[in-house]
Amino acid sequence: MLIAVLIPLIFAIIVPYLSKFKQKVHTGIFVFFIPFSIFLYFIRFVGSDFEPVRQTYNWIPSLGINFDFYLDGLSLLFVLLISGIGSLVVLYSVYYLHVSERLGHFYLYLLMFMTAMLGVVLSDNVFVLYTFWELTSISSFLLIGYWHYRERSRYGAQKSMLITVFGGLSMLGGLVLLSNITGTTSIQAMIAQVDVILANDYLPLIMAFILLGAFTKSAQFPFHIWLPDAMEAPTPVSAYLHSATMVKAGIFLIARFSPIFSGYEWFFIVVSIVGIVTLCWASYMAVRQTDLKGILAFSTISQLGMIMAMLGFGTGAAVFAAVFHILNHATFKGSLFMIAGIIDHETGTRDIRKLGGLFTFMPMTGILAIFGTFSMAGIPLPFLNGFYSKEAFFASTLELESTGNAIASFLVEAIPYLAVFGSIFTFVYSMYLFFGVFTGPAKLDKLKTKPHEAPIGMLVSPFILVLGVIVIGLFPNLFNGTFLIHAAEAVNSTVELEKLKFWHGFITPLFMSLAVVGIGIVFYLTRQKWSNIYHVLPGKLSFNKVYDYIIKKLDDVSAKITDSYMTGSLKTYMTIILATILVVTTFFMVVTGGFTISTDNLAEVTFIEIAVVLVITIAAIATIFTNSKLGAILITGVVGYGVATLFVIYRAPDLALTQLVIETVSVALFLLCFYHLPKLRKRTEKASTKLGNAVISIGFGALMTIIAISAHSTDWFEPISNYFIETSYKLGGGHNIVNVILVDMRGLDTLFEITVLGIAALAIVSLIKLRHDKEAK
Amino acid sequence: MTDNLLDVTETILDITLFISFIAISLSLILLLIRMLKGPTNPDRAVALDTIGINLMGVAALLAIYLITPNLNDVILLIAILAFLGTVAIAKYLEKGVIIDRDMD
């Protein structure tokens, strides 16, 4: 199974080489065999005696991260969708994309995406699942931005990336929490420990995190905004990613984790509300679109909302209907996208206002579109699969039982009405999509080219998908026992196999369907009259504006924050650094009780020490207030010599020698570059700034003093100096202990300090000698 | 008798040291005042030079006080450095630079 998952990625490596021959053979033809062979590999598993298959390949066993592949009914459904529709999309793209396009890039991204998606649905390991999940986001980003020279493409790619990666990261948070609680990284093992998870205090957080991941990926309200903008991608990509596979990854995630969360009452409430709201809002918005792909994008969102709602219901019937609709939606939506692509390809526009009366020019496409759109609308005809899933949806909304929670019981009452409401708009935009494009007067003057029928190769893929629509419509039970029931069982083990029938008798779901069709026809015919409502709702409200506002504000606010402290003034940085050290260190010293002052083991203070310290102190203070530059340098020299005297007093002749030399050299250096030193000016700062500087500097000095005193007062360990005193001559062969330490016991430090001096000398030479500006030449 | 003589010598030495320390400290503080007041930079330069000489004295007194020969190097070094420093400052005050550029 590992090979099946990774083969698209491996093949993607050689795609750029194959694309060199694109003038002779379209690269897509080579690529086609990859998804098709994967499809053939997985189709073997279909059968009524299907048992889940598990395979493990080690990756990082020490962290419990392995390629654990678990093929159950749900994965199988998705795998077949991915590889099956993948094959058709590749076939379609062979005719859709001209060889002058960058085919190598296109198929590389597409194959990358295929691996990612197969990995998502087959992974049992949560971290591997997350890895593949992000790979779908990245490859989707690349595919949306395929025509990267278009501004809208880049905008759409960035938007989808930001939103889906935001969700992906929050999902990672949920997965980490889950694996911490259960102590395992396997989803199936987590499902076995469902009691532990349900009893955990973090359950709401985990669920929120994982649902965020699923909702953003599946374009649920209010994260649906990226999907319409993703329509800038080439149409095969839209058909594949944004109708059949990637957007269903969120659905898959919910289905995969619903055995864990379905015991939690908020799961029903949140998922159902989000699903139903998405269904209604997106189908309402779809009617307003003028771009064919825009309509289809909002239609996808609303259908995904419907599936999401059914998964939220969680009853056996609802789950079965959801699984059934996943299959149905993939068939008719895939074909519709391809048809939209054909229309775009043959007429040069996707604007529905410029299209009309195409049936006479493109009869084949028109016939295919009838099945797709009517199935999407859920019209009660026995050869349309959309009707069965819609009726199953209605039936499942009626079967809901209240759990006692007030919100839940309200939902149970409201959901059937909302479902009908959303479906009415679904009907309206489906009809608009078909009749607006294929009937009415042809507006040939608005089209660039005279429309004509698509090449036969382009029609093959939508034809096969429409064939699927019809076959499932005519024989709705064809796949149930062998295939779909296993998928539903993976979500909810109480699902029972029911026979789907076209005619159930006069029951409520039928009346709901008839109401949808009846009201839908009225709404469709009077569309012009009520279309003003869109000026009221959404009117100026739009989640796109919210998104743009957030992005812009993030930029602005972070720029403001950065500008506020990155002023370019060293004085400001110094103030910030010192103030931070002052505050943080004081805080921690106080909290940990670090300030201890004891007067034990203090040495006696002698007169000469006091005198020298007095001189140093006066000189140090004088440097701050002196007005003469040369004076400041010389007074600094006094401080240095004073320190040297202290070294003498404390019996450190080597230090004293060095200090004297260094101090003299420093003073000489100051004088050397005296001309370049800044003039001492009267500071023109505000009094408050001066006060702040004084507070910080005095506070910092006080802090360091107290820390030094505390360090001296806390004597934790015996000093190691006795060892040096004893062994300096014995081991080092020298009486000068300091020098023995410097070159013998701790010689390495000396080596690198020599290096530092060498580097400093070289740096000074380069600074002075090497000038690249023109003046130096 | 010998012990007694030693004791007396030591006491005299201690007293002398003490007086010397006080004197040299006073001298340092007075020099410091000259250093701070100026009024001209040559005043300060002379003050710094004299501080150097005084430091030699401090080091020498300390060597006696601490009974160690290890500070003799320090005394010599201060002498050299004070000379060098004073020359450098003097040259700076006179010519504005310490190291002349080649005349080419």
Side-chain angles (χ1 to χ4, degrees), chain A residues 62-106:
Chain A
S62 55
L63 294 178
I65 298 175
N66 295 310
F67 289 107
D68 296 329
F69 292 124
Y70 182 73
L71 181 75
D72 61 354
L74 187 67
S75 308
L76 188 62
L77 168 67
F78 276 90
V79 165
L80 289 178
L81 279 180
I82 293 159
S83 54
I85 296 186
S87 318
L88 296 177
V89 161
V90 172
L91 194 64
Y92 175 78
S93 68
V94 168
Y95 294 92
Y96 185 84
L97 286 177
H98 193 256
V99 285
S100 59
E101 301 271 9
R102 295 165 304 132
L103 295 179
H105 291 71
F106 181 79

CSV table of all heavy atoms in Angstrom, one decimal, chain A residues 62-106:
chain,number,residue,atom,x,y,z
A,62,SER,N,10.8,5.5,17.1
A,62,SER,CA,11.0,6.0,18.5
A,62,SER,C,10.0,7.0,18.9
A,62,SER,O,9.7,7.2,20.1
A,62,SER,CB,12.4,6.5,18.6
A,62,SER,OG,12.6,7.5,17.6
A,63,LEU,N,9.4,7.7,17.9
A,63,LEU,CA,8.4,8.7,18.3
A,63,LEU,C,7.0,8.2,18.0
A,63,LEU,O,6.0,8.9,18.1
A,63,LEU,CB,8.6,10.0,17.5
A,63,LEU,CG,9.9,10.8,17.8
A,63,LEU,CD1,10.0,12.0,16.9
A,63,LEU,CD2,9.9,11.2,19.2
A,64,GLY,N,6.9,7.0,17.6
A,64,GLY,CA,5.6,6.4,17.3
A,64,GLY,C,5.0,6.9,16.0
A,64,GLY,O,3.8,6.9,15.8
A,65,ILE,N,5.9,7.5,15.2
A,65,ILE,CA,5.4,8.0,13.9
A,65,ILE,C,5.8,7.1,12.8
A,65,ILE,O,6.9,6.9,12.5
A,65,ILE,CB,6.0,9.4,13.6
A,65,ILE,CG1,5.5,10.4,14.7
A,65,ILE,CG2,5.5,10.0,12.3
A,65,ILE,CD1,6.1,11.8,14.6
A,66,ASN,N,4.8,6.4,12.3
A,66,ASN,CA,5.0,5.4,11.2
A,66,ASN,C,4.0,5.5,10.2
A,66,ASN,O,2.9,6.0,10.4
A,66,ASN,CB,5.0,3.9,11.8
A,66,ASN,CG,6.1,3.7,12.8
A,66,ASN,OD1,7.3,4.0,12.5
A,66,ASN,ND2,5.8,3.3,14.0
A,67,PHE,N,4.3,5.0,9.0
A,67,PHE,CA,3.3,4.9,7.9
A,67,PHE,C,2.4,3.7,8.2
A,67,PHE,O,2.5,2.6,7.7
A,67,PHE,CB,4.0,4.7,6.6
A,67,PHE,CG,4.7,5.9,6.1
A,67,PHE,CD1,6.1,5.9,6.1
A,67,PHE,CD2,4.0,7.0,5.6
A,67,PHE,CE1,6.8,7.1,5.6
A,67,PHE,CE2,4.7,8.1,5.2
A,67,PHE,CZ,6.1,8.1,5.2
A,68,ASP,N,1.4,4.0,9.1
A,68,ASP,CA,0.4,3.0,9.4
A,68,ASP,C,-0.7,3.2,8.4
A,68,ASP,O,-1.5,4.2,8.6
A,68,ASP,CB,-0.1,3.1,10.8
A,68,ASP,CG,0.9,2.9,11.9
A,68,ASP,OD1,1.8,2.1,11.6
A,68,ASP,OD2,0.9,3.5,12.9
A,69,PHE,N,-0.9,2.3,7.5
A,69,PHE,CA,-2.0,2.5,6.6
A,69,PHE,C,-3.2,1.6,7.0
A,69,PHE,O,-3.0,0.4,7.3
A,69,PHE,CB,-1.6,2.2,5.2
A,69,PHE,CG,-0.6,3.2,4.6
A,69,PHE,CD1,0.6,2.8,4.1
A,69,PHE,CD2,-0.9,4.5,4.6
A,69,PHE,CE1,1.5,3.8,3.7
A,69,PHE,CE2,-0.1,5.5,4.2
A,69,PHE,CZ,1.2,5.1,3.7
A,70,TYR,N,-4.3,2.2,7.0
A,70,TYR,CA,-5.5,1.4,7.5
A,70,TYR,C,-6.6,1.6,6.4
A,70,TYR,O,-7.1,2.7,6.2
A,70,TYR,CB,-6.0,1.9,8.8
A,70,TYR,CG,-7.1,1.2,9.4
A,70,TYR,CD1,-7.0,-0.1,9.9
A,70,TYR,CD2,-8.4,1.8,9.4
A,70,TYR,CE1,-8.1,-0.7,10.5
A,70,TYR,CE2,-9.5,1.1,10.0
A,70,TYR,CZ,-9.3,-0.1,10.5
A,70,TYR,OH,-10.4,-0.8,11.0
A,71,LEU,N,-6.9,0.5,5.7
A,71,LEU,CA,-7.8,0.6,4.7
A,71,LEU,C,-9.2,0.0,5.1
A,71,LEU,O,-9.3,-1.2,5.2
A,71,LEU,CB,-7.3,-0.1,3.4
A,71,LEU,CG,-8.3,-0.1,2.2
A,71,LEU,CD1,-8.2,1.3,1.5
A,71,LEU,CD2,-7.9,-1.2,1.2
A,72,ASP,N,-10.1,0.9,5.5
A,72,ASP,CA,-11.4,0.4,5.8
A,72,ASP,C,-12.4,0.9,4.8
A,72,ASP,O,-11.9,1.6,3.8
A,72,ASP,CB,-11.8,0.8,7.3
A,72,ASP,CG,-11.9,2.3,7.5
A,72,ASP,OD1,-11.5,3.0,6.5
A,72,ASP,OD2,-12.3,2.7,8.5
A,73,GLY,N,-13.7,0.7,5.0
A,73,GLY,CA,-14.6,1.1,4.0
A,73,GLY,C,-14.6,2.6,3.6
A,73,GLY,O,-14.6,3.0,2.4
A,74,LEU,N,-14.4,3.4,4.6
A,74,LEU,CA,-14.4,4.9,4.4
A,74,LEU,C,-13.2,5.2,3.5
A,74,LEU,O,-13.3,6.0,2.6
A,74,LEU,CB,-14.4,5.6,5.7
A,74,LEU,CG,-14.5,7.1,5.7
A,74,LEU,CD1,-15.9,7.5,5.2
A,74,LEU,CD2,-14.2,7.7,7.0
A,75,SER,N,-12.0,4.7,3.9
A,75,SER,CA,-10.8,5.0,3.2
A,75,SER,C,-11.0,4.5,1.7
A,75,SER,O,-10.6,5.2,0.8
A,75,SER,CB,-9.6,4.3,3.8
A,75,SER,OG,-9.5,4.7,5.1
A,76,LEU,N,-11.6,3.3,1.6
A,76,LEU,CA,-11.7,2.7,0.3
A,76,LEU,C,-12.6,3.6,-0.6
A,76,LEU,O,-12.2,3.9,-1.8
A,76,LEU,CB,-12.3,1.3,0.4
A,76,LEU,CG,-12.4,0.5,-0.9
A,76,LEU,CD1,-11.0,0.3,-1.4
A,76,LEU,CD2,-13.1,-0.8,-0.7
A,77,LEU,N,-13.7,4.1,-0.1
A,77,LEU,CA,-14.5,5.0,-0.8
A,77,LEU,C,-13.7,6.2,-1.3
A,77,LEU,O,-13.7,6.6,-2.5
A,77,LEU,CB,-15.7,5.5,0.1
A,77,LEU,CG,-16.5,6.7,-0.5
A,77,LEU,CD1,-17.3,6.2,-1.7
A,77,LEU,CD2,-17.4,7.2,0.6
A,78,PHE,N,-12.9,6.8,-0.4
A,78,PHE,CA,-12.2,8.0,-0.8
A,78,PHE,C,-11.0,7.7,-1.8
A,78,PHE,O,-10.8,8.4,-2.7
A,78,PHE,CB,-11.6,8.7,0.4
A,78,PHE,CG,-12.6,9.7,1.1
A,78,PHE,CD1,-13.5,9.2,2.0
A,78,PHE,CD2,-12.7,11.0,0.6
A,78,PHE,CE1,-14.4,10.1,2.6
A,78,PHE,CE2,-13.6,11.8,1.2
A,78,PHE,CZ,-14.5,11.4,2.2
A,79,VAL,N,-10.4,6.6,-1.5
A,79,VAL,CA,-9.3,6.2,-2.4
A,79,VAL,C,-9.8,6.0,-3.8
A,79,VAL,O,-9.1,6.4,-4.8
A,79,VAL,CB,-8.6,4.9,-1.8
A,79,VAL,CG1,-7.7,4.3,-2.9
A,79,VAL,CG2,-7.8,5.2,-0.6
A,80,LEU,N,-10.9,5.3,-3.9
A,80,LEU,CA,-11.5,5.1,-5.3
A,80,LEU,C,-11.9,6.4,-5.9
A,80,LEU,O,-11.7,6.6,-7.1
A,80,LEU,CB,-12.6,4.1,-5.2
A,80,LEU,CG,-12.2,2.7,-4.9
A,80,LEU,CD1,-13.5,1.8,-4.8
A,80,LEU,CD2,-11.3,2.1,-5.9
A,81,LEU,N,-12.4,7.3,-5.1
A,81,LEU,CA,-12.8,8.6,-5.7
A,81,LEU,C,-11.6,9.3,-6.1
A,81,LEU,O,-11.5,9.9,-7.2
A,81,LEU,CB,-13.5,9.5,-4.6
A,81,LEU,CG,-15.0,9.2,-4.3
A,81,LEU,CD1,-15.4,10.2,-3.2
A,81,LEU,CD2,-15.8,9.4,-5.6
A,82,ILE,N,-10.5,9.3,-5.3
A,82,ILE,CA,-9.3,10.1,-5.6
A,82,ILE,C,-8.7,9.5,-6.9
A,82,ILE,O,-8.4,10.2,-7.8
A,82,ILE,CB,-8.3,10.0,-4.5
A,82,ILE,CG1,-8.9,10.8,-3.3
A,82,ILE,CG2,-7.0,10.6,-4.9
A,82,ILE,CD1,-8.2,10.4,-2.0
A,83,SER,N,-8.5,8.2,-6.9
A,83,SER,CA,-7.8,7.6,-8.1
A,83,SER,C,-8.7,7.6,-9.3
A,83,SER,O,-8.3,7.9,-10.4
A,83,SER,CB,-7.3,6.2,-7.8
A,83,SER,OG,-8.4,5.4,-7.3
A,84,GLY,N,-10.0,7.3,-9.1
A,84,GLY,CA,-10.9,7.2,-10.3
A,84,GLY,C,-11.1,8.6,-10.9
A,84,GLY,O,-10.9,8.8,-12.1
A,85,ILE,N,-11.5,9.6,-10.1
A,85,ILE,CA,-11.7,10.9,-10.6
A,85,ILE,C,-10.4,11.5,-11.1
A,85,ILE,O,-10.3,12.2,-12.0
A,85,ILE,CB,-12.5,11.8,-9.6
A,85,ILE,CG1,-13.9,11.2,-9.4
A,85,ILE,CG2,-12.6,13.2,-10.1
A,85,ILE,CD1,-14.8,12.0,-8.6
A,86,GLY,N,-9.4,11.1,-10.3
A,86,GLY,CA,-8.0,11.5,-10.8
A,86,GLY,C,-7.7,11.1,-12.2
A,86,GLY,O,-7.2,11.9,-13.0
A,87,SER,N,-8.0,9.9,-12.5
A,87,SER,CA,-7.7,9.4,-13.9
A,87,SER,C,-8.5,10.2,-14.9
A,87,SER,O,-8.0,10.7,-15.9
A,87,SER,CB,-8.2,7.9,-14.0
A,87,SER,OG,-7.8,7.2,-12.9
A,88,LEU,N,-9.8,10.4,-14.5
A,88,LEU,CA,-10.7,11.1,-15.5
A,88,LEU,C,-10.2,12.6,-15.7
A,88,LEU,O,-10.2,13.1,-16.8
A,88,LEU,CB,-12.1,11.1,-15.0
A,88,LEU,CG,-12.8,9.7,-14.9
A,88,LEU,CD1,-14.2,9.8,-14.4
A,88,LEU,CD2,-12.8,9.1,-16.3
A,89,VAL,N,-9.8,13.2,-14.6
A,89,VAL,CA,-9.3,14.6,-14.6
A,89,VAL,C,-8.1,14.7,-15.5
A,89,VAL,O,-7.9,15.6,-16.3
A,89,VAL,CB,-9.1,15.1,-13.2
A,89,VAL,CG1,-8.2,16.4,-13.2
A,89,VAL,CG2,-10.4,15.5,-12.6
A,90,VAL,N,-7.2,13.7,-15.3
A,90,VAL,CA,-5.9,13.7,-16.1
A,90,VAL,C,-6.3,13.6,-17.6
A,90,VAL,O,-5.8,14.3,-18.4
A,90,VAL,CB,-5.0,12.6,-15.6
A,90,VAL,CG1,-3.8,12.5,-16.6
A,90,VAL,CG2,-4.5,12.9,-14.2
A,91,LEU,N,-7.2,12.7,-17.8
A,91,LEU,CA,-7.6,12.5,-19.2
A,91,LEU,C,-8.2,13.8,-19.8
A,91,LEU,O,-7.9,14.2,-20.9
A,91,LEU,CB,-8.7,11.3,-19.2
A,91,LEU,CG,-9.0,10.8,-20.6
A,91,LEU,CD1,-7.8,10.1,-21.2
A,91,LEU,CD2,-10.2,9.8,-20.4
A,92,TYR,N,-9.1,14.4,-19.0
A,92,TYR,CA,-9.7,15.6,-19.4
A,92,TYR,C,-8.6,16.7,-19.6
A,92,TYR,O,-8.7,17.5,-20.6
A,92,TYR,CB,-10.7,16.1,-18.3
A,92,TYR,CG,-11.4,17.4,-18.5
A,92,TYR,CD1,-12.4,17.5,-19.4
A,92,TYR,CD2,-11.0,18.5,-17.8
A,92,TYR,CE1,-13.1,18.7,-19.6
A,92,TYR,CE2,-11.6,19.7,-18.0
A,92,TYR,CZ,-12.6,19.8,-18.9
A,92,TYR,OH,-13.3,21.0,-19.0
A,93,SER,N,-7.7,16.8,-18.7
A,93,SER,CA,-6.7,17.8,-18.8
A,93,SER,C,-5.8,17.7,-20.1
A,93,SER,O,-5.2,18.7,-20.6
A,93,SER,CB,-5.8,17.8,-17.6
A,93,SER,OG,-5.0,16.7,-17.6
A,94,VAL,N,-5.7,16.4,-20.6
A,94,VAL,CA,-4.9,16.2,-21.8
A,94,VAL,C,-5.5,17.1,-22.9
A,94,VAL,O,-4.8,17.7,-23.7
A,94,VAL,CB,-4.9,14.7,-22.2
A,94,VAL,CG1,-4.4,14.6,-23.6
A,94,VAL,CG2,-4.1,14.0,-21.2
A,95,TYR,N,-6.9,17.2,-23.0
A,95,TYR,CA,-7.5,17.9,-24.0
A,95,TYR,C,-7.7,19.4,-23.6
A,95,TYR,O,-7.8,20.3,-24.4
A,95,TYR,CB,-8.9,17.3,-24.4
A,95,TYR,CG,-8.7,16.0,-25.0
A,95,TYR,CD1,-8.7,14.8,-24.2
A,95,TYR,CD2,-8.5,15.8,-26.3
A,95,TYR,CE1,-8.5,13.6,-24.7
A,95,TYR,CE2,-8.2,14.6,-26.9
A,95,TYR,CZ,-8.3,13.5,-26.1
A,95,TYR,OH,-8.0,12.3,-26.7
A,96,TYR,N,-7.7,19.6,-22.3
A,96,TYR,CA,-8.0,21.0,-21.8
A,96,TYR,C,-6.7,21.9,-21.9
A,96,TYR,O,-6.8,23.0,-22.4
A,96,TYR,CB,-8.5,20.9,-20.4
A,96,TYR,CG,-8.9,22.3,-19.9
A,96,TYR,CD1,-10.2,22.8,-20.1
A,96,TYR,CD2,-8.0,23.1,-19.1
A,96,TYR,CE1,-10.6,24.0,-19.7
A,96,TYR,CE2,-8.4,24.3,-18.6
A,96,TYR,CZ,-9.7,24.8,-18.9
A,96,TYR,OH,-10.0,26.0,-18.5
A,97,LEU,N,-5.6,21.3,-21.5
A,97,LEU,CA,-4.4,22.1,-21.4
A,97,LEU,C,-3.6,22.0,-22.7
A,97,LEU,O,-3.4,20.9,-23.2
A,97,LEU,CB,-3.5,21.7,-20.3
A,97,LEU,CG,-3.9,22.1,-18.9
A,97,LEU,CD1,-3.0,21.5,-17.9
A,97,LEU,CD2,-4.0,23.6,-18.7
A,98,HIS,N,-3.3,23.1,-23.3
A,98,HIS,CA,-2.6,23.1,-24.6
A,98,HIS,C,-1.1,22.8,-24.3
A,98,HIS,O,-0.6,23.1,-23.2
A,98,HIS,CB,-2.7,24.5,-25.2
A,98,HIS,CG,-2.2,24.5,-26.6
A,98,HIS,ND1,-1.0,25.0,-27.0
A,98,HIS,CD2,-2.8,24.0,-27.8
A,98,HIS,CE1,-0.8,24.8,-28.3
A,98,HIS,NE2,-1.9,24.2,-28.8
A,99,VAL,N,-0.4,22.2,-25.2
A,99,VAL,CA,1.0,21.8,-25.0
A,99,VAL,C,1.9,23.0,-24.8
A,99,VAL,O,3.0,22.9,-24.3
A,99,VAL,CB,1.6,20.9,-26.1
A,99,VAL,CG1,1.0,19.6,-26.1
A,99,VAL,CG2,1.3,21.6,-27.5
A,100,SER,N,1.4,24.2,-25.1
A,100,SER,CA,2.2,25.4,-24.9
A,100,SER,C,2.3,25.7,-23.4
A,100,SER,O,3.1,26.5,-23.0
A,100,SER,CB,1.7,26.5,-25.7
A,100,SER,OG,0.4,26.8,-25.3
A,101,GLU,N,1.4,25.2,-22.6
A,101,GLU,CA,1.4,25.5,-21.2
A,101,GLU,C,2.6,24.7,-20.5
A,101,GLU,O,3.2,23.8,-21.1
A,101,GLU,CB,0.1,25.0,-20.5
A,101,GLU,CG,-1.1,25.6,-21.0
A,101,GLU,CD,-1.5,26.9,-20.3
A,101,GLU,OE1,-0.7,27.4,-19.5
A,101,GLU,OE2,-2.6,27.4,-20.6
A,102,ARG,N,2.9,25.1,-19.3
A,102,ARG,CA,4.0,24.4,-18.6
A,102,ARG,C,3.4,23.1,-18.0
A,102,ARG,O,3.1,23.0,-16.8
A,102,ARG,CB,4.5,25.3,-17.4
A,102,ARG,CG,5.2,26.5,-18.0
A,102,ARG,CD,5.4,27.5,-16.8
A,102,ARG,NE,4.1,27.8,-16.2
A,102,ARG,CZ,3.9,27.8,-14.9
A,102,ARG,NH1,4.8,27.5,-14.1
A,102,ARG,NH2,2.7,28.1,-14.4
A,103,LEU,N,3.4,22.1,-18.8
A,103,LEU,CA,2.7,20.8,-18.4
A,103,LEU,C,3.5,20.1,-17.3
A,103,LEU,O,2.9,19.5,-16.5
A,103,LEU,CB,2.6,19.9,-19.7
A,103,LEU,CG,1.7,20.4,-20.8
A,103,LEU,CD1,1.7,19.4,-21.9
A,103,LEU,CD2,0.3,20.6,-20.2
A,104,GLY,N,4.8,20.2,-17.4
A,104,GLY,CA,5.6,19.6,-16.4
A,104,GLY,C,5.2,20.0,-15.0
A,104,GLY,O,5.0,19.2,-14.1
A,105,HIS,N,5.1,21.3,-14.8
A,105,HIS,CA,4.7,21.9,-13.5
A,105,HIS,C,3.3,21.3,-13.1
A,105,HIS,O,3.1,20.9,-12.0
A,105,HIS,CB,4.6,23.4,-13.6
A,105,HIS,CG,6.0,24.0,-13.7
A,105,HIS,ND1,6.7,24.0,-14.8
A,105,HIS,CD2,6.7,24.8,-12.8
A,105,HIS,CE1,7.8,24.6,-14.6
A,105,HIS,NE2,7.8,25.1,-13.4
A,106,PHE,N,2.4,21.4,-14.1
A,106,PHE,CA,1.0,21.0,-13.8
A,106,PHE,C,0.9,19.6,-13.2
A,106,PHE,O,0.4,19.4,-12.2
A,106,PHE,CB,0.2,21.2,-15.0
A,106,PHE,CG,-1.3,20.9,-14.8
A,106,PHE,CD1,-2.1,21.8,-14.2
A,106,PHE,CD2,-1.8,19.6,-15.2
A,106,PHE,CE1,-3.4,21.5,-14.0
A,106,PHE,CE2,-3.1,19.4,-14.9
A,106,PHE,CZ,-3.9,20.3,-14.3
